[in-house]
Amino acid sequence: MTSGRRSALVTGGGSGIGRGVALALARRGVAVAIAGRRADRLHAVRAEIEAGGGWAAALPADLAAAGDRASLLERAAGALGGRPPDLLVHNAALLAGGVLADLDAGDLEAAVAANLLAPLEITRQWLRATPDVSARHLTLVASLNALAPLPYLSVYAATKAALRALGFVLPHEGVATLTVYPPATATEMTRGMAEVTRGRYPLAPPGAVGERIAAAALAGRRGELDLMSAGERALALVHRACPRAARALLHARREEFRRAVTGAR
């Protein structure tokens, strides 16, 4: 069924940016395996892809669980005709926002596992399964938080910064790698923030973000892809050029970030 097609595994493919990437790849003729925690969402995306003439497999998986991380690539390869995917898109992430001291230990561990251990483990397996990486492409979906960590997002920022570091290292090992910095996007993860900030920070549509990521991955783009808004880009530049000024700016607005992250009014 997938013979002759390029193939992809997209994590977090049941909603948000991941769904946008999966739909965009499928429209371009790629056979897509989509992974995520909610089976109903995955099957809905699969049905949407198939209704448009594409091919997809839904692979329910909780990437915070060691067993699911360990088995996902093998399951994807089985669904894709017995071969590993050509394209690997690490998009799944958990936010775990709030004061670090107040975070539940289980939530902290789950976020680190889903955001960082899963990309590391699945990529390691993928590279072992595909010794000739010349036709392969890896996409890491990072965040503004990897460039300018925001208040009360310590775990999320730390894991995204580590993902950014991974994107710098793997090209030395011959892996075609693209690290993407999407804009603040209208997803379930950002819904609470949007309600608190009442639209003061525009959110990009996930479908449009997914289109740009899919196009870049299929084109084999390497390095970094900055899709951030002008304001986000400016904050990242200030953080790089004058970290003290960036910290002072964010510290002055820390209460707004706290309310946005925790949903407190």
Side-chain angles (χ1 to χ4, degrees), residues 26-27 46-55:
R27 282 193 292 268
R46 183 193 64 185
E48 191 173 353
I49 288 173
E50 292 176 346
W55 190 95

Side-chain angles (χ1 to χ4, degrees), residues 112-128:
V112 173
N115 299 5
L116 182 56
L117 288 181
L120 286 168
E121 172 61 15
I122 294 168
T123 301
R124 183 184 69 87
Q125 293 182 12
W126 181 65
L127 294 175
R128 287 186 171 189

Side-chain angles (χ1 to χ4, degrees), residues 184-201:
T185 306
T187 66
E188 293 182 11
M189 181 184 289
T190 61
R191 181 177 299 161
M193 300 181 195
E195 291 175 354
V196 171
T197 58
R198 298 180 181 179
R200 289 193 297 279
Y201 305 105

